């Protein structure tokens, strides 16, 4: 967490939470959702400002109830999830071993591979509690090249390293929040919420 965020929390510890205004889509893009977008059930407008995106990503965390949020100074901005709290890109350099990178740019080391009932590919890691990440749809072809899939296309194995073979597990998408302990829509939960305080990350954007 950024030092300016820690200082703001110490100075204003009781600022009400904000819900509904920020969303992480299935391609790892952060999106702002105004009242109109929320009312229409739209994903919202992608955030293109590099400094603001970086500020969000450095201050992205999860509370004890499984609600992911961005700490915007003293205000906790809960994140609506289009699917999972993490989205990863797959790369397979030649020569070199395959690698996953999450939406914040950090490495994601898989311990499990899953395919859901809609054919989406997901990875779980070995952290406690385990995180789950959706594979960006642009990387599905590469995944199919690296994996050995059975005839049904929903099972098989992924040779992740020369000494690591990950068996592919099938899963129902609706089971993921309970299994990995996350809340898809904090806005739908019963928590005290207020409109977004000021401009989202405006100070960080100016300072970067």
């Amino acid at each position: 967490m950024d030092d300016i965020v820690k200082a703001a929390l110490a100075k204003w510890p009781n600022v009400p939470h904000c819900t509904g205004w920020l969303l992480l889509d299935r391609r790892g893009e952060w999106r702002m959702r105004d009242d109109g977008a929320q009312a229409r059930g739209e994903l919202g407008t992608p955030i293109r400002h590099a400094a603001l995106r970086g500020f969000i990503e450095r201050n992205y965390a999860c509370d004890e109830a499984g609600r992911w949020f961005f700490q915007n100074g003293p205000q906790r901005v809960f994140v609506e999830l289009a699917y999972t709290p993490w989205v990863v890109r797959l790369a397979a350099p030649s020569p070199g071993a395959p690698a996953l990178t999450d939406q914040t740019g950090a490495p994601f080391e898989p311990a499990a591979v899953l395919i859901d009932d809609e054919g989406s590919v997901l990875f779980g890691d070995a952290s406690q509690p385990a995180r789950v990440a959706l594979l960006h749809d642009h990387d599905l072809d590469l995944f199919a090249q690296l994996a050995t899939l059975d005839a049904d296309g929903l099972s098989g194995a992924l040779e992740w390293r020369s000494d690591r073979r990950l068996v592919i597990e099938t899963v129902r998408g609706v089971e993921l929040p309970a299994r990995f302990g996350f809340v898809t829509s904090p806005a739908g939960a019963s928590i005290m919420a207020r409109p977004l305080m000021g401009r989202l990350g405006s100070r960080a954007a100016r300072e970067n």
Side-chain angles (χ1 to χ4, degrees), residues 16-21 75-79 192-197:
H17 304 320
C18 168
T19 62
W21 284 78
Q75 185 176 51
R76 183 165 290 187
V77 180
F78 284 99
V79 179
M192 181 176 66
R194 293 292 185 274
L196 194 65
M197 187 184 72

Side-chain angles (χ1 to χ4, degrees), residues 8-52:
L9 278 170
K11 188 173 183 179
W12 299 290
N14 299 312
V15 174
H17 304 320
C18 168
T19 62
W21 284 78
L22 184 63
L23 178 141
L24 180 69
D25 72 16
R26 293 176 65 102
R27 289 182 170 173
E29 295 288 339
W30 302 100
R31 292 175 175 264
M32 283 291 297
R33 306 172 74 234
D34 60 17
D35 289 329
Q38 293 180 50
R40 294 186 295 271
E42 297 174 350
L43 292 178
T45 304
I47 296 174
R48 302 299 187 194
H49 194 289
L52 178 52

Side-chain angles (χ1 to χ4, degrees), residues 94-116:
S94 180
L100 292 171
T101 305
D102 69 31
Q103 75 266 14
T104 73
F108 188 101
E109 188 61 29
V113 186
L114 308 97
I115 297 181
D116 72 9

Side-chain angles (χ1 to χ4, degrees), residues 69-151:
F69 63 89
F70 152 54
Q71 193 66 46
N72 181 35
Q75 185 176 51
R76 183 165 290 187
V77 180
F78 284 99
V79 179
E80 299 290 290
L81 303 174
Y83 197 13
T84 59
W86 300 95
V87 178
V88 289
R89 297 300 308 260
L90 174 63
S94 180
L100 292 171
T101 305
D102 69 31
Q103 75 266 14
T104 73
F108 188 101
E109 188 61 29
V113 186
L114 308 97
I115 297 181
D116 72 9
D117 42 346
E118 294 185 353
S120 297
V121 176
L122 305 108
F123 295 91
D125 70 5
S127 62
Q128 294 296 327
R131 299 183 301 159
V132 62
L134 174 68
L135 180 65
H136 194 295
D137 61 341
H138 287 180
D139 298 333
L140 289 172
D141 286 345
L142 178 56
F143 173 83
Q145 295 172 27
L146 297 174
T148 301
L149 298 174
D150 296 337

